[in-house]
């Protein structure tokens, strides 16, 4: 009910609200932890933060999805194009992040690239 109310207040469809607002609320503790880790000690905080974010994404894609499949009656799930799209975008985004890390510096253009990937 709260998510529907917020979606109607900002005039977005409920499905889009579920995808964006729920993800924002779910990711807020991660963002807070990453910012605090980097502020306290950038040398140790950046690798720790990247590991936390990557591990969180891998956990959702492996453990959560695996558990959902296990809970199905027949143990089978039909993977539509949406799942393939999500997996491909996750792989592209992870590859992009690792490429930026390998370069050793993050510039504003890299941040813009990450936002384009997110909204694309």
């Amino acid at each position: 009910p709260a998510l529907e109310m917020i979606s109607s207040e900002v005039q977005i469809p409920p499905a889009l609200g579920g995808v964006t607002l729920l993800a924002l609320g779910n990711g807020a503790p991660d963002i807070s932890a990453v910012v605090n880790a980097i502020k306290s000690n950038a040398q140790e905080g950046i690798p720790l933060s990247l590991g936390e974010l990557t591990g969180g994404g891998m956990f959702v894609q492996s453990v959560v999805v695996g558990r959902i499949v296990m809970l199905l009656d027949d143990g089978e799930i039909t993977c539509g194009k949406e799942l393939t799209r999500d997996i491909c975008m996750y792989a592209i985004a992870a590859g992009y992040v690792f490429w930026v890390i390998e370069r050793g510096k993050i510039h504003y253009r890299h941040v813009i690239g990450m936002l384009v990937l997110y909204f694309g």
Side-chain angles (χ1 to χ4, degrees):
L3 190 58
E4 289 178 23
M5 217 167 79
I6 294 171
S7 295
S8 65
E9 185 69 31
V10 293
Q11 299 176 352
I12 58 175
L16 182 63
V19 171
T20 56
L21 298 174
L22 192 59
L24 181 64
N26 189 35
D30 291 333
I31 293 170
S32 174
V34 166
V35 168
N36 287 328
I38 292 172
K39 276 186 169 182
S40 66
N41 183 355
Q43 285 288 19
E44 293 178 6
I46 291 173
L48 179 68
S49 300
L50 293 172
E52 190 270 336
L53 294 173
T54 306
M58 290 169 49
F59 178 82
V60 168
Q61 291 202 8
S62 58
V63 175
V64 174
V65 173
R67 184 64 180 141
I68 290 170
V69 171
M70 288 172 56
L71 290 174
L72 295 173
D73 291 334
D74 57 359
E76 187 176 311
I77 188 167
T78 304
C79 298
K81 58 185 173 187
E82 293 86 5
L83 181 62
T84 305
R85 177 204 62 208
D86 292 347
I87 291 171
C88 289
M89 283 304 295
Y90 185 79
I92 291 169
Y96 183 70
V97 168
F98 288 123
W99 176 77
V100 169
I101 292 168
E102 185 65 30
R103 295 183 58 136
K105 290 186 178 183
I106 298 175
H107 300 282
Y108 283 110
R109 66 179 178 266
H110 298 134
V111 175
I112 301 280
M114 291 177 192
L115 290 172
V116 166
L117 277 174
Y118 180 76
F119 290 110

